[in-house]
């Protein structure tokens, strides 16, 4: 049974002692689309993405992957870049990818393929500790793509990128759905997901205040501000 969603969360809740940082969040990510999870600092974006990527456990609620209750085995189909990429500073880009490629048992060619996708083919022996922020970010995405995931989770992927890097990343992300890769990304800026996301969710203070198709004629800026204000008042 599948309703066209590659991923859903059902009343996902995360509590730390007395504070509820996610409160019954239900998102619906359609297969082969880009979903933008928007919200201000501390809204609960990374917490949501970490639960889906298996880095955190929810207090209650469920994650449904491809119509079934999420299990750790689903992680073979999920690539993620959340907060900082786990990189070895003393290794080159290729060597970093080689470590994970070996663990996953993938073919050698895949390394050049992902380097090509993220535009990082010319860094040679340069050690990652000498990479710029943007280069590290690209390498993090390359790592997340190694396994040919069906679902790619990117937490604030434009962090540290220059305007050209942001534009290139947008084009890269936009090209994924037609290659069978669904993208779930987070941002605190509406402008970053505009014209890129098919659907958006707006989260504030742990509550999903809006979810729907992105339509360029909608005044999302006003909606975004209103949701953030409403949640701030009710908390
Ligand atoms: N280990 C923890 N213990 C207690 N509270 C935590 C813990 N980790 C996160 N939080 C709280 O959970 C809330 C949501 O954090 P989260 O990192 O998901 O926000 P975010 O939307 O990703 O924000 P940002 O845009 O700043 O990255 C915050 O209020 C944060 O302080
Ligand atoms: Mg975050």
């Amino acid at each position: 049974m599948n309703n066209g969603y590659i991923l859903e969360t059902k009343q996902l809740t995360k509590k730390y002692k007395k504070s509820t940082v996610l409160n019954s969040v239900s998102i619906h990510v359609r297969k082969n689309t880009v979903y933008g999870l928007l919200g201000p600092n501390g809204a609960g974006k990374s917490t949501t993405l970490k639960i889906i990527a298996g880095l955190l456990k929810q207090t209650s609620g469920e994650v449904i992957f491809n119509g079934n209750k999420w299990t750790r085995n689903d992680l073979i189909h999920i690539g993620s870049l959340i907060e900082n990429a786990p990189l070895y500073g003393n290794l080159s880009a290729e060597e970093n990818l080689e470590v994970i490629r070996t663990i996953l048992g993938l073919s050698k060619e895949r390394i050049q393929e992902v380097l090509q996708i993220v535009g990082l083919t010319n860094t040679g022996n340069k050690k990652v500790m000498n990479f710029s922020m943007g280069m590290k970010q690209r390498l993090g995405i390359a790592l997340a793509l190694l396994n040919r995931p069906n679902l790619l989770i990117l937490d604030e992927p434009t962090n540290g990128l220059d305007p050209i890097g942001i534009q290139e990343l947008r084009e890269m992300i936009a090209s994924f759905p037609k290659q069978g890769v669904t993208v779930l990304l987070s941002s605190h800026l509406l402008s970053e997901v505009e014209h890129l996301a098919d659907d958006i969710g707006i989260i504030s203070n742990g509550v999903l205040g809006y979810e729907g198709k992105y339509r360029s004629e909608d005044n999302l800026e006003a909606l975004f501000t209103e949701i953030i204000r409403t949640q701030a008042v009710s908390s």
Side-chain angles (χ1 to χ4, degrees):
M1 193 195 76
N2 204 319
N3 46 18
Y5 299 129
I6 188 167
L7 181 99
E8 294 167 82
T9 66
K10 295 197 167 164
Q11 280 108 49
L12 206 59
T13 298
K14 177 73 183 173
K15 295 183 183 176
Y16 290 107
K17 296 194 179 137
K18 290 231 164 83
S19 77
T20 303
V21 301
L22 279 189
N23 192 350
S24 205
V25 169
S26 300
I27 63 168
H28 303 81
V29 182
R30 294 182 292 140
K31 204 167 267 184
N32 298 334
T33 63
V34 176
Y35 186 104
L37 185 63
L38 284 169
N41 292 135
K45 303 180 296 296
S46 298
T47 305
T48 306
L49 301 184
K50 280 178 187 166
I51 294 170
I52 298 165
L55 302 170
L56 254 183
K57 193 141 177 40
Q58 66 267 42
T59 309
S60 62
E62 281 185 356
V63 177
I64 309 290
F65 184 74
N66 261 331
N68 299 309
K69 198 166 181 237
W70 181 103
T71 71
R72 228 154 238 291
N73 291 337
D74 294 322
L75 293 176
I76 342 167
H77 306 294
I78 301 176
S80 61
L81 173 56
I82 298 181
E83 291 171 350
N84 295 316
L87 301 174
Y88 299 100
N90 57 338
L91 300 182
S92 69
E94 208 173 312
E95 287 164 347
N96 265 279
L97 289 162
E98 180 61 22
V99 172
I100 308 298
R101 183 199 74 79
T102 312
I103 295 171
L104 297 174
L106 304 169
S107 73
K108 277 229 182 253
E109 295 86 75
R110 187 64 186 150
I111 291 185
Q112 291 311 318
E113 282 172 19
V114 292
L115 285 172
Q116 196 89 46
I117 295 171
V118 302
L120 213 61
T121 48
N122 53 3
T123 59
N125 292 327
K126 190 173 201 153
K127 291 192 161 88
V128 164
M129 63 172 101
N130 299 323
F131 276 21
S132 70
M133 275 279 268
M135 290 162 78
K136 285 184 193 155
Q137 196 71 348
R138 282 164 193 261
L139 182 55
I141 296 173
L143 277 168
L145 285 171
L146 258 185
N147 216 13
R148 300 179 195 277
N150 305 128
L151 176 67
L152 179 64
I153 298 176
L154 301 172
D155 190 18
E156 313 247 4
T158 53
N159 265 356
L161 296 185
D162 59 29
I164 293 176
I166 292 176
Q167 191 48 39
E168 287 175 357
L169 183 75
R170 274 170 178 269
E171 286 163 18
M172 197 198 300
I173 291 171
S175 75
F176 286 147
K178 49 184 174 292
Q179 300 171 54
V181 181
T182 304
V183 183
L184 168 57
L185 62 89
S186 76
S187 175
H188 54 272
L189 293 176
L190 181 59
S191 58
E192 282 196 343
V193 306
E194 256 175 337
H195 313 298
L196 180 62
D198 298 290
D199 297 314
I200 64 159
I202 302 178
I203 187 171
S204 180
N205 220 343
V207 177
L208 193 76
Y210 173 84
E211 185 183 56
K213 277 209 169 77
Y214 170 71
R215 291 192 307 247
S216 53
E217 67 273 22
D218 291 346
N219 189 348
L220 283 174
E221 198 67 59
L223 182 66
F224 189 44
T225 316
E226 185 192 311
I227 288 168
I228 293 167
R229 283 219 189 96
T230 315
Q231 291 308 328
V233 170
S234 64
S235 70

